[in-house]
Amino acid sequence: MEQPPPTFQVNGAEIRKLRMQAGLSTAELAEKALISRRYLNHLENGYRTRMRPGPYARLLTALGLQAGTTQLLRPPPQDNPPGKR
């Protein structure tokens, strides 16, 4: 059985975009996701980029996203971008 990763690399700009589309303040979303406003603010501003599975799942639910969606995750880094060595 596959275990979930210990943390998720999240895209703070995407979190902010979805929060604003939902018409929620940082305080409202933080309360719905059971995380602190400060933690949410740090995620949105890129000071923090990792989330544990529990808070990540609650954030998905608070934003109305389905479990398993990758919409909030950062894209994987490219090892060798074209034209670079």
Side-chain angles (χ1 to χ4, degrees):
M1 189 161 118
E2 189 176 314
Q3 292 184 335
T7 60
F8 292 91
Q9 285 269 3
V10 295
N11 180 341
E14 187 67 17
I15 294 170
R16 178 184 290 119
K17 181 182 94 174
L18 291 173
R19 175 182 60 77
M20 293 177 81
Q21 286 177 351
L24 298 170
S25 69
T26 52
E28 291 168 330
L29 179 57
E31 184 176 328
K32 287 178 85 168
L34 302 176
I35 60 176
S36 73
R37 187 186 58 76
R38 183 176 180 164
Y39 179 52
L40 177 58
N41 196 303
H42 283 198
L43 290 168
E44 287 188 355
N45 290 309
Y47 298 124
R48 299 201 54 174
T49 59
R50 295 181 182 271
M51 293 187 79
R52 291 190 183 270
Y56 177 74
R58 292 192 308 266
L59 183 61
L60 288 177
T61 301
L63 287 169
L65 300 173
Q66 297 210 356
T69 186
T70 59
Q71 189 172 354
L72 296 184
L73 299 180
R74 289 181 155 204
Q78 293 182 354
D79 290 334
N80 293 320
K84 294 229 176 184
R85 290 185 177 216

